[in-house]
């Protein structure tokens, strides 16, 4: 696929994610998603059982900062030592480091209180957008992007997509089940992360496309300077 087309497509995706996130934020501020949130929470928590609670606590732990950091260190080692992909390593670090910063900034802007309906775990901080949802979408999303470029058979790509989607969805659902997030927090987290991820990939692909031109300009400047 033409690189310029990829750059354009990713740029459109980032704007679309930003637009949808803004829409969700407006609806939350206007209290238009209260019924939706409560209905989804009721449906998810109606499945409560000891073994399901254990499963959900497992998935919410996977999305925690501690596990995400460990996973990211492993991926960084794999990209650097095994695949020797230095440019992709910089993209991965930038995306993963920027996501929690963006999450903290958005939480301070919106300052939405967490649901107080039926909590199975206790946690502090603001609710919107979900940090776990953003972590999951960012890490598994960028991992899928990086590996997709090096998997050329349909079966491998399908398995990669299913694996990433499963963990992203389950981490989000676990936060609703455990009573620490509204469904709109999860959706908002996915959209905020989708914007950040797409914008980062857009810049990365734009740079790859422009790198020969940028290198040529720098060479010409160095030649002029040396004269």
């Amino acid at each position: 696929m033409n690189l310029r087309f990829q750059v354009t497509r990713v740029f459109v995706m980032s704007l679309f994610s930003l637009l949808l996130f803004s829409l969700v934020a407006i609806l939350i501020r206007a209290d238009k998603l209260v019924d939706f949130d409560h209905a989804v929470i009721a449906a998810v928590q109606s499945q409560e059982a000891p073994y399901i609670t254990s499963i959900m606590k497992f998935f919410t732990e996977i999305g925690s900062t501690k596990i995400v950091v460990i996973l990211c260190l492993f991926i960084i080692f794999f990209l650097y030592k095994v695949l020797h992909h230095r440019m992709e390593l910089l993209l991965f670090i930038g995306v993963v480091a920027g996501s929690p910063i963006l999450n903290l900034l958005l939480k301070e802007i919106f300052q939405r209180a967490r649901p107080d309906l039926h909590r199975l775990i206790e946690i502090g901080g603001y609710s919107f957008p979900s940090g776990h949802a953003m972590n999951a979408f960012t890490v598994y999303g960028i991992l899928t992007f990086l590996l997709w470029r090096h998997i050329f058979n349909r079966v491998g790509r399908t398995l990669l997509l299913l694996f990433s989607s499963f963990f992203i969805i389950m981490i989000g659902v676990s936060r609703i089940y455990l009573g620490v997030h509204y469904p709109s927090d999860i959706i908002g987290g996915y959209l905020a992360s989708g914007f950040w991820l797409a914008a980062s990939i857009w810049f990365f692909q734009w740079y790859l496309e422009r790198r020969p031109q940028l290198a040529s300009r720098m060479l010409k400047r160095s030649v002029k300077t040396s004269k």
Side-chain angles (χ1 to χ4, degrees):
M1 187 182 294
N2 182 270
L3 182 58
R4 182 164 295 181
F5 174 75
Q6 290 185 14
V7 171
T8 303
R9 185 177 66 173
V10 174
F11 180 72
V12 171
M13 289 173 60
S14 69
L15 290 181
F16 186 64
S17 297
L18 179 60
L19 178 63
L20 289 180
F21 175 82
S22 301
L23 177 60
V24 171
I26 291 170
L27 291 174
I28 288 174
R29 282 287 176 89
D31 291 329
K32 298 296 185 181
L33 295 179
V34 175
D35 291 341
F36 167 78
D37 281 332
H38 287 188
V40 175
I41 290 173
V44 172
Q45 292 191 336
S46 68
Q47 307 301 316
E48 184 180 344
Y51 75 96
I52 294 180
T53 300
S54 298
I55 292 172
M56 292 302 174
K57 286 183 177 180
F58 168 76
F59 279 107
T60 211
E61 184 65 22
I62 288 178
S64 67
T65 302
K66 177 180 66 177
I67 299 301
V68 167
V69 169
I70 294 173
L71 177 62
C72 289
L73 289 176
F74 173 78
I75 295 171
I76 289 171
F77 175 82
F78 183 76
L79 289 173
Y80 185 79
K81 285 292 187 179
V82 179
L83 297 182
H84 306 292
H85 294 152
R86 309 298 167 81
M87 288 297 297
E88 294 180 349
L89 175 62
L90 292 176
L91 171 64
F92 179 82
I93 293 174
V95 169
V96 172
S99 183
I101 296 174
L102 177 60
N103 179 257
L104 288 174
L105 177 62
L106 291 173
K107 284 190 173 184
E108 286 299 322
I109 291 173
F110 293 101
Q111 297 188 2
R112 188 188 197 188
R114 292 185 183 273
D116 192 18
L117 301 173
H118 176 53
R119 290 193 191 181
L120 298 179
I121 61 173
E122 288 300 323
I123 187 171
Y126 295 121
S127 188
F128 179 83
S130 166
H132 273 65
M134 286 189 67
N135 282 341
F137 198 98
T138 298
V139 173
Y140 291 103
I142 191 60
L143 185 60
T144 299
F145 170 77
L146 294 177
L147 294 180
W148 186 279
R149 295 154 57 88
H150 304 286
I151 298 175
F152 301 103
N153 63 82
R154 183 175 296 179
V155 175
R157 285 184 166 184
T158 300
L159 290 174
L160 174 64
L161 193 59
L162 289 174
F163 172 84
S164 298
S165 299
F166 175 75
F167 276 91
I168 290 171
I169 292 171
M170 289 304 299
I171 289 172
V173 171
S174 72
R175 305 301 283 173
I176 300 171
Y177 177 92
L178 295 172
V180 294
H181 276 296
Y182 294 105
S184 52
D185 296 334
I186 305 301
I187 295 172
Y190 289 158
L191 291 172
S193 182
F195 162 72
W196 170 246
L197 181 61
S200 300
I201 292 174
W202 168 78
F203 180 79
F204 175 74
Q205 293 184 319
W206 174 85
Y207 176 77
L208 290 181
E209 183 186 21
R210 296 293 301 274
R211 185 165 57 169
Q213 300 175 26
L214 295 173
S216 177
R217 290 177 185 175
M218 291 181 65
L219 180 61
K220 288 179 182 178
R221 288 177 182 175
S222 63
V223 170
K224 289 181 180 180
T225 305
S226 61
K227 288 181 179 181

